[in-house]
Amino acid sequence: MLSYRSLLWKRKRTKTKTKNQNKNVLRCKNNGIKQTLISDNYQPEEEEENDEGFSLKTSATSHSHGVQPLGNFYLNSSSVNSRNTGLGNLQTLTDELVIDILGLLGATHLGVLATVSKSFYVFTNHEPLWRNLVLENLSGGFIFNGSWKFAYIATCYPSFDAMNIGLSRLRVRDFYSDYLFQSWLCANLEMKPEWLERDNIIRKKGISVEEFVSNFEEPNKPVLLEGCLDNWAALQKWDRDYLVKLSGDLHFSVGPVEMKLENYFRYSDQVREERPLYLFDPKFAEKVPRLGSEYEVPVYFREDLFGLLGNERPDYRWIIIGPAGSGSSFHIDPNSTSAWNAMIKGSKKWVLFPPDVTPPGVHPSPDGAEVACPVSIIEWFMNFYGATKTWKRKPIECVCKAGEVIFVPNGWWHLVINLEESIAITQNYVSRSNLLNVLDFLQRPNASELVSGTKDRVNLYEKFKNTFEASFPGTIDQLIRKAEEKMAEEKKPSFWDTVTDSKAGAFKFSL
C-alpha cells in the first residue's frame, strides 16, 4: 500500500521550461518528503525553484470518478467525505475490505449496487473488480475497449452501447480515498529519472565462452552482453505487423488467459492500469515454428542440461511482450535455473539482488514456496527504491536495450519493468556450473511445491539425475569434489590467521 495515508496536497503556481508547459504541478508532503505531481490542464506562471517529485504521463487524465487522496479532505474542512456518507454503517470498513467484499459479487449485483449511492457507484466501478470478472468468466474471448467494464458489457451484452450513454463516467464530488486513488496514480506515473540513472552492471562485448564461465557463470554474477544478437533475424523482423501476420488466429498466454496477438495489442494500446497484463508464452515456438527459427541461443548459454530430458523438460523459453509499465515484480527464476533475457524491441529496467539479500518490501515464506510482494512495481519504486541508496550492498541495475542480453544467475532476485512497448526472448537453462544447485533444489523435501513448469513435479529429480549420469558418467562426483575443494580453499586460514593467537590476540612465533 502506498504511504498516502498522510498525504497533504497543495497547488503551487509555477513557470517551468517549455517541455513542462500546460501541465499542473501539485505539491504534496508524504512522510515529510516534498514531492511534485504534474498533470494536465494547468498554465504555469512563476519560476519553479525545485523540480523534484513525480510526473504524470502525458496521456494521463484525471481520475474517472473524481476520487482524491485523503490529504485533500484534511485541507478542505468544509467538505464531507462522500465516501463515508454513501456507505452508511459500512463506512467503518477499510477500503480494501469493501473491495474484497465486492469482489465476491457478480456483474449484475455490482450493477444494482452501483445505484444505491454515489459511494457505492465509485466502489463498484473500481476497474480491478471488472478486470477479474472478465478474466475469470470470459477467458480470452473479449475485446478491450477503453475499460474492463466496457469489455465485459460489450462481450456479454453486445446490443448495449455503454460508451455512448456515458456509463461509468459520473464524477463524484468530495470523494476521498487513498486506496482507490493510488491505483490510478500508479497507472499514470512516469518513471522518475533517478530510478533509471543507476547503471552499475558489468557490460561485456565479444568475450570468450571461457571468460564468461570463469568470470560470471561460476561466481554467479550478472552481466550485460552486447553484440550477441547481431545475426538474429528476429532483431530486424519482429514488430507488431509481422508477429500478428504470422500468428493469425493463434492464442498466446497473457496472464491467466489466452488471447489473439491482435487483440492483445489492442488492449496494450488502450490500457491505463497499475498492473498491465503481460504476454508471457512458453509454447510460442511450437505454435509458430518460424519464430523459433529466427533466433538462436547465444554461444554463452548453449550448454543446457535440462535438454537431456527432451519433451519432459520443464518450460524453459518464453516470448515476452508488454506495454510500458508492464513487467514482473521481484521473483527468483524457477527450479534454481539461471537465465538469459534478450531484448528485440524496446527497453527494460532491471533491478537485481543477490540470493542472500531479500529486496525491501518482499516477504518470502520460510520454505521458499511462496513469495509475497504486496506492492506493484511502481509502488515499489515509490516506497522502497530510495532506501537502497544507503545500503552497503546495493542492487545491480541497468536498462537493457534492443540488441542486448542480460545474464541472470540462479537464485538472484530480480524486478523488471518495460520502459516502452517491448518484445523479448528469455530462456532458463542448467549448465555444469549450476548443476549441483539444481539437483539440490529438485530433491528438497517440499520439491513438489517448489518445482514448476512440468506436470511431473515429484519425479523430476530422479529423471534428470539418471538421464544425466547415463550421458555423462562420473561427472556429478567430479563436480562434487571440485565444489568441496573450492569450499575448503575458501575456508583455508590466511597468513595472518596462522600467525595470530586467537586466544591471546597476539602473534604466534611457531616457526
Side-chain angles (χ1 to χ4, degrees):
M1 181 76 179
L2 279 170
S3 53
Y4 276 80
R5 295 290 183 191
S6 59
L7 213 70
L8 297 178
W9 296 83
K10 64 178 180 178
R11 180 173 294 177
K12 183 173 182 179
R13 301 175 70 81
T14 63
K15 183 177 181 180
T16 62
K17 298 180 181 179
T18 303
K19 67 178 182 178
N20 285 335
Q21 288 180 351
N22 300 322
K23 291 183 177 180
N24 189 23
V25 180
L26 300 174
R27 309 294 293 176
C28 68
K29 290 183 179 179
N30 187 3
N31 292 340
I33 301 175
K34 186 169 65 174
Q35 301 170 342
T36 304
L37 273 172
I38 302 177
S39 60
D40 296 338
N41 305 321
Y42 185 66
Q43 297 290 339
E45 295 181 357
E46 298 177 5
E47 189 74 22
E48 173 60 58
E49 298 178 358
N50 297 312
D51 187 17
E52 57 180 293
F54 303 105
S55 298
L56 295 181
K57 297 175 181 176
T58 56
S59 59
T61 59
S62 60
H63 194 286
S64 57
H65 306 302
V67 174
Q68 302 176 58
L70 195 57
N72 287 24
F73 175 64
Y74 298 136
L75 287 176
N76 190 0
S77 58
S78 62
S79 67
V80 175
N81 191 349
S82 60
R83 180 264 185 206
N84 296 334
T85 56
L87 286 180
N89 291 335
L90 297 180
Q91 66 180 274
T92 58
L93 302 179
T94 64
D95 292 347
E96 298 95 321
L97 186 53
V98 171
I99 292 296
D100 286 343
I101 293 173
L102 295 179
L104 302 175
L105 304 180
T108 301
H109 291 99
L110 288 178
V112 171
L113 196 57
T115 65
V116 172
S117 69
K118 293 179 180 178
S119 184
F120 273 116
Y121 174 85
V122 174
F123 275 106
T124 57
N125 278 285
H126 189 46
E127 273 287 275
L129 290 173
W130 292 93
R131 167 173 155 146
N132 291 340
L133 287 173
V134 170
L135 298 181
E136 291 172 4
N137 299 312
L138 306 181
S139 298
F142 66 91
I143 302 295
F144 191 83
N145 196 15
S147 82
W148 287 105
K149 185 171 184 178
F150 290 160
Y152 186 92
I153 294 174
T155 304
C156 297
Y157 308 97
S159 62
F160 189 79
D161 193 351
M163 295 192 69
N164 286 338
I165 67 171
L167 186 67
S168 301
R169 293 177 181 174
L170 177 66
R171 293 179 63 82
V172 177
R173 293 186 59 184
D174 300 327
F175 191 106
Y176 305 95
S177 166
D178 284 345
Y179 181 79
L180 298 183
F181 181 80
Q182 66 86 21
S183 181
W184 169 87
L185 183 66
C186 289
N188 289 282
L189 277 183
E190 291 277 15
M191 292 286 288
K192 293 179 67 174
E194 66 184 65
W195 297 344
L196 304 175
E197 64 187 14
R198 189 190 294 171
D199 193 318
N200 56 358
I201 198 169
I202 298 173
R203 294 172 177 264
K204 292 292 182 179
K205 183 174 183 178
I207 63 174
S208 66
V209 175
E210 292 73 19
E211 184 179 351
F212 168 74
V213 172
S214 61
N215 292 344
F216 301 103
E217 192 175 59
E218 288 185 346
N220 216 42
K221 292 168 54 178
V223 63
L224 191 143
L225 301 166
E226 301 171 342
C228 296
L229 316 183
D230 293 347
N231 62 338
W232 280 21
L235 207 59
Q236 285 73 44
K237 292 183 177 182
W238 288 15
D239 58 23
R240 279 192 176 199
D241 293 338
Y242 183 77
L243 295 177
V244 169
K245 182 179 179 180
L246 279 185
S247 62
D249 290 331
L250 294 172
H251 287 66
F252 293 83
S253 297
V254 178
V257 300
E258 299 275 325
M259 294 180 68
K260 290 172 58 176
L261 198 53
E262 182 179 14
N263 292 340
Y264 177 72
F265 282 131
R266 178 187 176 118
Y267 157 81
S268 65
D269 280 341
Q270 302 179 61
V271 65
R272 294 292 182 271
E273 59 183 337
E274 186 177 3
R275 294 177 173 89
L277 292 177
Y278 209 10
L279 190 152
F280 212 93
D281 194 288
K283 305 297 182 184
F284 72 98
E286 290 84 350
K287 295 173 182 176
V288 187
R290 185 183 295 184
L291 295 180
S293 68
E294 291 180 342
Y295 82 96
E296 62 181 17
V297 177
V299 65
Y300 307 105
F301 315 111
R302 289 182 182 168
E303 183 181 57
D304 187 357
L305 301 176
F306 261 158
L308 296 171
L309 293 173
N311 293 332
E312 293 189 276
R313 71 170 301 164
D315 292 338
Y316 71 104
R317 61 179 176 180
W318 295 262
I319 188 172
I320 312 172
I321 304 176
S326 61
S328 301
S329 56
F330 276 109
H331 65 283
I332 295 173
D333 278 349
N335 306 327
S336 198
T337 54
S338 298
W340 57 269
N341 189 296
M343 286 301 302
I344 297 172
K345 290 288 188 294
S347 57
K348 297 177 185 287
K349 167 71 178 185
W350 287 78
V351 182
L352 304 96
F353 287 88
D356 59 335
V357 178
T358 303
V362 177
H363 310 283
S365 60
D367 61 0
E370 296 181 358
V371 175
C373 189
V375 298
S376 64
I377 297 174
I378 289 292
E379 276 188 272
W380 185 86
F381 275 101
M382 293 177 68
N383 293 340
F384 297 103
Y385 179 79
T388 65
K389 292 183 177 180
T390 61
W391 286 24
K392 184 176 181 180
R393 300 180 65 186
K394 296 179 176 61
I396 300 296
E397 299 181 46
C398 69
V399 173
C400 190
K401 301 177 181 179
E404 299 177 337
V405 180
I406 186 172
F407 166 62
V408 183
N410 79 87
W412 277 68
W413 293 95
H414 51 285
L415 169 150
V416 187
I417 182 169
N418 290 314
L419 304 180
E420 54 192 311
E421 183 175 278
S422 299
I423 303 173
I425 290 288
T426 188
Q427 290 194 186
N428 289 73
Y429 73 102
V430 183
S431 68
R432 294 172 196 241
S433 300
N434 190 33
L435 177 63
L436 296 183
N437 288 321
V438 172
L439 289 173
D440 178 68
F441 178 88
L442 296 181
Q443 65 174 339
R444 291 182 183 180
N446 61 337
S448 60
E449 300 176 20
L450 301 177
V451 171
S452 65
T454 179
K455 295 180 179 179
D456 189 356
R457 297 185 173 190
V458 176
N459 301 309
L460 184 59
Y461 169 75
E462 292 295 337
K463 287 181 180 179
F464 181 44
K465 182 181 178 183
N466 294 339
T467 303
F468 179 82
E469 287 184 328
S471 302
F472 303 98
T475 301
I476 293 179
D477 292 335
Q478 292 176 10
L479 292 173
I480 291 175
R481 286 195 296 270
K482 182 179 178 181
E484 290 174 344
E485 291 171 0
K486 182 179 180 180
M487 291 178 62
E489 185 67 24
E490 291 174 351
K491 292 180 179 180
K492 185 178 179 180
S494 67
F495 169 77
W496 293 109
D497 291 329
T498 63
V499 298
T500 301
D501 187 331
S502 59
K503 294 181 179 180
F507 289 116
K508 295 188 296 181
F509 297 97
S510 56
L511 301 178

